[in-house]
Each structure stands twice: as structure tokens, then as C-alpha cells.
Amino acid sequence: MAETSGSSLPTVNKQPLLSPAQPVYVLRGHQAQIHAVQFIRANSRLITGDADGWIVVWALGTKRPAAVWKAHDNAILGVAPWGEDRIITHGRDNKLSVWQLGLAHEAAMDEILPVDDPAMQRKQPWLLHVLSVNALNFCSFAICYDQEAASAVKDQSATSGDVPRPVLVAVPNAIDSGGIDIFLLPTEKRRFTIPGDKSANTGMLMTVNISSEADKLRVIAGYESGHTIVFQRANPNSAWQKLYECQPHSQPILSLDVLPSQNCYFTSSADALIAKHPLAPWKSTVSDSKPLKVVQTKHSGQQGLRVRSDGKIFATAGWDSRIRVYSSKTMNELAVLKWHKEGCYAVAFAEVDLLVSAPSYDAEKQPTNGELATTQRSSALKTVEQQRNEKAQSTHWLAAGSKDGKVSLWDIY
């Protein structure tokens, strides 16, 4: 046996370097920067809105457009679903529009993307409602179901057919830049106005959230001054009460979102801070006056903050083109996702732990041999399509929209 000469060196076990995370897919359909992204219909669709006013509804099973139309004459500020067949869009043209677009309506819609032919006129969905609202603040709307009006709609739907469940829409006041208007849909009537807090000198309203429980309403606002305030109305006959106020940020608050448990919320700003704030129980009339935790991230300009539906993590879109994922419990940075070359403006999580329904079969009906062969071929195609759709619906998607007009899809945690 041959002997090796020279001194033997200890072996060093080198750990392989992990390659940076890459998006699973990139949706390329917009020419202008992406301002809004939103998953709908149990994660089977993704809505994206851009700075030119275009809306694209993507089928996530195929990663292809299912509907494309020009919703506004100016930039899209926000999008949200209202039930299964209505989509709400908010534009910088001072309009908030409600479109009827259910699954059955998609077949009649155009699928040519804005990047392919921006001048072509596309068919629009049926326009159900248009509200004239303030869009000068760059503040998008917020919605919640109106529990108080729900019982009246149940009685009305028994006689008049399909009546949507009422929603409350919070937007910046048209005159008072720090005030908040709350409209009721489908009546289009203004239900409440929360005036701006002059004592705090908050400046313009930058971001807002609204939620309800029984006949109680809660509104959370973030302002140009870096203030955040929680307002609550205890019952239909009571006035709005300020439960919480603090100024954790030195720059305008860009985004906020609430934990699903409704016991705290997060704010991000043009500065490098992310703050976690307490939310008092619904029955309470007082709250703490300071945040639970403030983290110096050293990365200014994080916006579009969104909490995942299980409350475990939240994400932000960064002006430095990074998407950052944080732990909701510790606020530690868990991941930094880099693919875009330009700044990111919006993120959205798919809902997690959804139950995707399996196909139903009629066991009593006995097909003929010809029918069986046709059914088997059709079932095979349906099975492939269904498996693809089910996989897309059950994936823990994180979508990010950027100034480059692209939307990256990530599968994390």
C-alpha cells in the first residue's frame, strides 16, 4: 500500500453556500409601475394595478391573464374584493369604482396585456358603483363588512334576490386632509366623518384601516407627521372616541396592517422604523399610549406592509428593491428577497391553510362504454387542470409589485 508523504492537514468541512432565493414565477404584463396587488377567490386569482390605471386579473393556475381593462384615468391606489363577483378599485382620478367580475364573466373579458398593446380599447366589466373620493393624499381605501346593516340586507334579499353584504369604505375626507370619510355600499351614502386631530398637527392622512365587531367600529389611521391614532365607536348612538395616539415615526407613515387576532398592529414609514402597537379589546375604552416595540431596520422607505392570514409573519416592499419578511412575534427580519432592479411598492400574501374542495362524482349514474371513454379523457384533462389549480391555491404565495412593472411570486414559509 502506497504511503503519502508530508504532514497531514486537518480536514475542514466547508458548508455549501446557500444561493439567494429566487421567485417561483414573474408576471410580466404592465408597462407602468405596480401600485397594488391582491389575492382573491381562495388564491385562484391575483389582481394587479399599475400607475396608468390598468387592472389585470391573473389566473394563478396558468399564470395567464383572465381579465384586463383600464379601470381609471390615473394611477391605481388600491384594489379589494367584495364578495365573489365584485372588485373595488381606487384611482388617483378621485374615483372609487365597483366592478362586477365573477368567474362566469371572465370568458367575455379581454386578455391582451397592457404591455402588448396599451392603446387598444378593452371591454370593461359591468360598473356597479362610482364614488367621488379624495385621492390627493396617495392614501388608498380600506373596507370591512358592516355588521349593523347585515340583518337588514338578509331581510331584503329574501324578497329582492341577490343583495350583496354591505361594506363600509374608509377614505380621506375631501376637504379636511386629515379627516376620514366612511361610506356604505351598496347605498353609496356617507355614514360617518372623523375629523382630523388639530391638536396633534398630524398633517395628511396617509394610510387607514377599518374593522367591525357587532355594532362596534374601529378605525386606525397613519399620518404625514408620523402619528398613528386609533378611533372607536362603541355603539350606534355613541360618538367616535380616540383610544390610542403616538408618534413613533419621524417621517410620514406609509402603511399599516392589523394582526388577525386584533390585539396589535404594525406601521412602516419613510424612515427606517417599524413599530408594533397595542390594540385594546373591543369592550375597552382606554389603551396604552406607547408602542409595544419599535425596530430600527436601517432600511428607509418600507411600504405596503401586510400581515399574513395566520398572523405569523408580515412583509414590506422596499424602495431599495428588496422585499423583507419579519416575524410578527419578535419583529426579527427572517428573509430579504431580491430580484427586482427597481423599487418595490406593494406586497400581498395568499391566504394560508385553505381547504381546496375535491371534485364530486355521481356514484349512482352508470355511464355507457362510449360515455365512459369520453368521460375518462375529459376527467384526465380536468384532473391535470384541477391539480394545477389546487397547487396554486395551496401555495404560500408572496406577491411583490415593483416600479419595473413586474410582479414576482415567491413561495416562502
Side-chain angles (χ1 to χ4, degrees), residues 78-109:
V79 298
W82 177 14
E84 289 297 315
D85 65 345
R86 289 168 174 82
I87 293 174
I88 303 177
T89 62
H90 184 190
R92 288 217 68 210
D93 55 1
N94 299 304
K95 293 179 181 178
L96 187 140
S97 303
V98 180
W99 311 87
Q100 185 169 38
L101 185 69
L103 196 62
H105 305 118
E106 290 181 354
M109 295 296 295

Side-chain angles (χ1 to χ4, degrees), residues 121-134:
Q121 294 292 327
R122 271 74 159 187
K123 179 181 179 181
Q124 291 184 329
W126 187 261
L127 184 59
L128 300 176
H129 306 279
V130 178
L131 293 177
S132 295
V133 297
N134 183 9

Side-chain angles (χ1 to χ4, degrees), residues 42-43 351 353-354 356 389-397:
N43 307 333
E351 291 188 66
D353 300 327
L354 288 176
V356 181
N389 291 335
E390 288 180 359
K391 185 178 187 301
Q393 288 180 261
S394 59
T395 301
H396 289 190
W397 294 118

Side-chain angles (χ1 to χ4, degrees), residues 229-240:
I229 301 178
V230 178
F231 303 94
Q232 186 165 304
R233 193 198 65 152
N235 59 67
N237 299 319
S238 65
W240 288 93

